[in-house]
Amino acid sequence: MLSSIGGVQGLAESIAPGLVFTLLFTFTRDLTLSLVAALAVSAVFTVIRLVSRTPVTQALAGLVGVAFCAFVALRTGNAEDFFLPGFFINGAYIVAMAVSVVVRWPFAGLLFGFIRNEGIEWRRQAVRVRAYSLATWIIVAVLALRLVVQVPLYLAENVAALGSTRVAMGLPLYALGLWLAWVISRPPAAPGGAASTGGSRPDDRSGAGTDG
């Protein structure tokens, strides 16, 4: 799970800006100061990656995301709106993943299939499509849980609680959902004890050894 979110540094990059914003605003009630601090933290992580010559994609994406959230909050003057863009992004992911299951191209299959060297051959086996569909619904459930918990806090303008749950239910919870999806969609074990893949037996439609 830790590896899937970029290790300890990736975890810190995900949590720190929102946490700093929440803590500062809770204690100072100064929106501008809190937003600048969150941006500064995100910028520091980007600089660290540049200096250490490690991939900067995640840090840059985080910096752009924090900057946009800060822009929205400054325009409205409401601290809770710092978290508003995340709701729309979360909802877009839910819709996209649900559609992927309906059209029988489940998101989990596209993601895990290439990691497992199945490519898209898993689509030839109904049992694998079902497994990856279930795995995708697990990820959708994690995303939906965020909205169920956080939207009421946003409407109540409870910045402290919203920020706290945003940290707790952010990337770490998403990584847990990915891990559960990975486990539930494991290919059936081959006779030799190794997991079989769709790429090795593309015409196998028997579905023997279904995922548990």
Side-chain angles (χ1 to χ4, degrees):
M1 286 187 291
L2 190 60
S3 176
S4 71
I5 59 177
V8 174
Q9 186 171 350
L11 182 63
E13 290 168 354
S14 169
I15 292 177
L19 181 60
V20 167
F21 171 80
T22 301
L23 290 175
L24 272 181
F25 185 79
T26 299
F27 288 106
T28 68
R29 312 305 294 182
D30 188 323
L31 178 59
T32 301
L33 174 63
S34 303
L35 292 173
V36 169
L39 277 169
V41 169
S42 188
V44 166
F45 280 119
T46 303
V47 171
I48 290 174
R49 284 192 175 269
L50 287 171
V51 171
S52 61
R53 296 184 178 181
T54 54
V56 298
T57 303
Q58 181 173 336
L60 283 175
L63 178 59
V64 171
V66 172
F68 181 70
C69 291
F71 171 76
V72 172
L74 280 176
R75 286 295 301 269
T76 64
N78 299 319
E80 63 272 14
D81 286 341
F82 178 77
F83 304 101
L84 183 60
F87 296 148
F88 289 98
I89 295 173
N90 205 80
Y93 279 133
I94 290 174
V95 172
M97 290 187 189
V99 169
S100 77
V101 174
V102 172
V103 299
R104 295 179 62 80
W105 283 88
F107 167 79
L110 296 174
L111 176 62
F112 298 150
F114 286 98
I115 296 174
R116 289 170 167 152
N117 294 320
E118 291 179 289
I120 59 173
E121 295 297 330
W122 52 267
R123 296 194 71 246
R124 295 174 178 265
Q125 304 177 49
V127 66
R128 300 300 296 137
V129 174
R130 289 195 297 269
Y132 279 133
S133 295
L134 177 58
T136 302
W137 285 125
I138 290 174
I139 301 173
V140 168
V142 169
L143 299 177
L145 181 61
R146 288 179 182 175
L147 296 181
V148 169
V149 173
Q150 295 173 19
V151 169
L153 296 175
Y154 169 80
L155 295 175
E157 300 181 1
N158 191 334
V159 176
L162 178 57
S164 299
T165 55
R166 185 66 172 266
V167 170
M169 304 180 74
L171 195 53
L173 180 62
Y174 183 65
L176 176 60
L178 284 177
W179 178 77
L180 291 174
W182 175 269
V183 171
I184 205 70
S185 63
R186 285 180 299 189
S196 64
T197 64
S200 60
R201 299 180 64 188
D203 295 323
D204 181 10
R205 300 170 184 263
S206 63
T210 58
D211 297 43

